[in-house]
Amino acid sequence: RSAGAALDLLFALPPLAQAELIGGRWAAAAASAGEAVRLARETGQPELSALPLAWLTHIAALRGEEQGFWASVTETEDVAATHQLGVYRHAVHEILLWSRAVQKAQTVRPGSALALLEQQTHPVVITWAAVDRVEAAIAAGKRDTALRWLREFEKFAVHAGQAWADARVAHCHGLLAAGTSAVASFERALALHRDGQRPFERAR
């Protein structure tokens, strides 16, 4: 910003928003994404607004802001339909799928949430959405799907070696278990989240 490097800033803001969102700093993520959208418009590059708009859509879904969510969905889809997004197209599409699934789950439509999440193919977005995917499959009565998705995420967690990833695995095992086994899994998830620096995931 201080150097006036608008293009560098425009490319830096969406990944910053992503990191802030995943780290539980939702207000900061919304500010970073919003700045990126404004900058893309002001510099005559509306195609570069699609990714930060997708993140704003996801933040609205997480917050349960129905009006803001649908407005962001429409705006993001309009940009995607009228501009060449290049390497961002796949990620934007998959973040919107994930965001729509979160909204469906919040409005107690697990079947619809699962149908959206089953369409995901982007490996990184699938990793971000791991708990939502397992939870939606369980709520929709698709236990085998939930187990398969959990096994896939467990492979990632083993290689990641991160407390937050292990916490997600324990969380999902708790969702699939019952009684004392479920309690033990959730307690393990809470203990791991103390070192994971993801406050909203720990609260969940």
Side-chain angles (χ1 to χ4, degrees):
R1 289 191 187 95
S2 61
L7 188 60
D8 290 342
L9 182 60
L10 179 52
F11 280 101
L13 284 168
L16 175 61
Q18 168 195 315
E20 290 167 334
L21 173 61
I22 292 172
R25 300 178 61 213
W26 292 0
S32 295
E35 183 179 0
V37 171
R38 291 192 298 274
L39 193 56
R41 291 169 178 164
E42 289 169 359
T43 58
Q45 301 177 93
E47 67 279 3
L48 295 181
S49 70
L51 185 58
L53 279 170
W55 285 126
L56 287 173
T57 303
H58 196 69
I59 294 167
L62 291 170
R63 288 173 164 171
E65 298 171 349
E66 282 285 303
Q67 187 173 352
F69 169 77
W70 289 113
S72 290
V73 167
T74 299
E75 191 170 5
T76 309
E77 289 181 339
D78 285 347
V79 172
T82 55
H83 296 84
Q84 295 294 327
L85 304 189
V87 296
Y88 296 119
R89 180 167 295 279
H90 192 192
V92 168
H93 174 69
E94 298 269 319
I95 293 168
L96 286 183
L97 283 175
W98 181 22
S99 303
R100 285 177 177 272
V102 169
Q103 189 270 341
K104 298 296 184 188
Q106 288 178 345
T107 52
V108 200
R109 288 176 282 179
S112 297
L114 177 62
L116 290 162
L117 293 167
E118 286 178 322
Q119 297 175 45
Q120 288 186 310
T121 59
H122 195 299
V124 177
V125 183
I126 285 172
T127 299
W128 292 333
V131 176
D132 292 308
R133 286 163 62 83
V134 171
E135 190 172 68
I138 294 169
K142 301 291 186 180
R143 186 178 178 85
D144 288 347
T145 299
L147 285 166
R148 174 166 54 85
W149 285 349
L150 174 54
R151 284 194 291 269
E152 291 171 359
F153 184 75
E154 281 179 317
K155 294 176 184 177
F156 167 84
V158 167
H159 292 288
Q162 298 291 317
W164 66 265
D166 292 334
R168 284 184 171 194
V169 169
H171 181 165
C172 291
H173 276 293
L175 293 172
L176 284 157
T180 56
S181 178
V183 171
S185 292
F186 288 132
E187 287 179 343
R188 173 171 167 72
L190 286 170
L192 287 163
H193 270 311
R194 279 199 291 270
D195 299 321
Q197 299 180 343
R198 298 193 177 198
F200 283 98
E201 291 200 17
R202 184 165 187 258
R204 181 177 182 178

